[in-house]
Amino acid sequence: MPYFPIGAFLASLPWVAVGLVLLLALTFAIAVRQSRHSVIDTVWGLGFVVVAAISWLLSAGHGDDGRRLLLLALVAVWGIRLALHIGVRARGGHEDPRYVDMLSSAPGSRNIYALRKVYLPQGVILFFVSLTIQVGMFSTGSLGWLAWLGVLLWIVGFVFETVGDWQLGQFKADPSRRGTVLNTGLWRYTRHPNYFGDAAVWTGFFLVAADSWPGVLTVLSPALMIWLLAGKSGKPLTEKAMSARPGYTEYVESTSGFLPLPPRRPRGSRQQPDGPQPGGR
């Protein structure tokens, strides 16, 4: 079993926490100034980049250099891409309706309520989920086949997430498609190619870390991320918002909810829908 520098790893944890606190404090200040707390969504991906950068610096001389550099590169590409995508999408916009609904019931200061209900939980989740990255940075074993399998899965996930977001952006930018459901491209095989891609990316991160002891012990970190995407704040909230729109029920019947699968034939229909259907996304 490869040696793991437990002392150096434990000593790095407070510095990672400080980095996240500073990032979230700056985000909170910007959000208060703009009266728009949804800016924290843009910082979500950057938070993991901050964790990876701090862990990479502090693991120098302790962890395997190949794994350290690989994790830093994969996290940076994924996190920066996600931050840019969300930032550009929300540029010049108003507060996200989800945050409007949440903060409308704030007892007292909306900002303090947001601090407790949004920033604190996201900071804790971000720290816990990123333990896979943190432990992987300090692991001493050299890269093996499991790590490269993780890279392959990361590539699959990154393609699904990036292409899915691009296809959705193109779809929304076309006025003639307003009021329809996107069921072409990757969206024909899964109702959430971006969420599936995110889940695959984090499974890939885990495999890179699990390739060397004790990375396998961080399995709950990607598990939490996947649960949030598929069972809590990702897929369920999106489908709840879409459920009342005409045509969405047929789309649900014909298309896999998460994992990419061949389209199914909707009940009561003899052939698969072809092209946009009434509804919206």
Side-chain angles (χ1 to χ4, degrees):
M1 183 180 298
Y3 165 74
F4 184 76
I6 184 67
F9 169 71
L10 293 177
S12 73
L13 297 180
W15 292 105
V16 171
V18 168
L20 290 178
V21 168
L22 291 176
L23 177 65
L24 292 175
L26 177 60
T27 305
F28 179 74
I30 295 173
V32 171
R33 183 178 180 84
Q34 296 183 355
S35 298
R36 189 161 61 97
H37 287 288
S38 55
V39 296
I40 193 173
D41 292 344
T42 303
V43 179
W44 174 251
L46 293 180
F48 291 103
V49 179
V50 168
V51 170
I54 294 174
S55 297
W56 180 76
L57 289 171
L58 297 179
S59 62
H62 299 287
D64 176 71
D65 288 340
R67 179 174 284 100
R68 291 173 59 241
L69 185 59
L70 178 61
L71 284 172
L72 179 64
L74 295 181
V75 174
V77 170
W78 170 81
I80 294 173
R81 200 287 313 180
L82 181 62
L84 289 174
H85 168 72
I86 296 177
V88 170
R89 186 182 64 185
R91 184 175 53 189
H94 301 289
E95 182 70 282
D96 188 299
R98 295 172 302 163
Y99 290 88
V100 172
D101 292 341
M102 179 190 306
L103 299 178
S104 63
S105 61
S109 170
R110 290 163 58 92
N111 291 329
I112 298 301
Y113 187 77
L115 194 62
R116 292 190 295 108
K117 293 294 186 178
V118 179
Y119 293 82
L120 180 59
Q122 287 211 22
V124 172
I125 292 172
L126 202 159
F127 183 87
F128 182 80
V129 170
S130 68
L131 283 174
T132 289
I133 307 301
Q134 298 179 57
V135 170
M137 287 287 188
F138 283 86
S139 296
T140 57
S142 59
L143 293 171
W145 67 268
L146 190 61
W148 295 115
L149 178 61
V151 173
L152 179 60
L153 189 56
W154 181 94
I155 293 172
V156 171
F158 188 76
V159 169
F160 262 83
E161 189 172 358
T162 303
V163 174
D165 283 339
W166 179 80
Q167 290 176 340
L168 182 59
Q170 294 293 107
F171 180 82
K172 289 183 174 180
D174 186 349
S176 67
R177 294 182 173 183
R178 186 165 299 171
T180 64
V181 170
L182 172 58
N183 65 352
T184 57
L186 295 180
W187 299 84
R188 179 177 174 83
Y189 303 99
T190 167
R191 302 197 296 274
H192 305 280
N194 44 0
Y195 294 152
F196 164 76
D198 217 358
V201 162
W202 276 94
T203 303
F205 287 147
F206 169 70
L207 293 180
V208 174
D211 186 57
S212 179
W213 179 263
V216 68
L217 298 181
T218 67
V219 64
L220 292 181
S221 295
L224 174 60
M225 175 67 93
I226 295 171
W227 176 74
L228 290 172
L229 292 167
K232 184 64 176 177
S233 60
K235 175 178 179 288
L237 291 183
T238 299
E239 300 203 339
K240 181 180 179 181
M242 298 293 299
S243 61
R245 298 194 181 187
Y248 194 70
T249 299
E250 290 76 15
Y251 179 63
V252 169
E253 290 178 355
S254 66
T255 310
S256 172
F258 200 75
L259 296 175
L261 295 172
R264 301 183 297 269
R265 178 177 297 177
R267 293 193 298 269
S269 174
R270 293 191 174 184
Q271 63 184 45
Q272 185 67 34
D274 185 18
Q277 301 296 311
R281 200 173 179 86

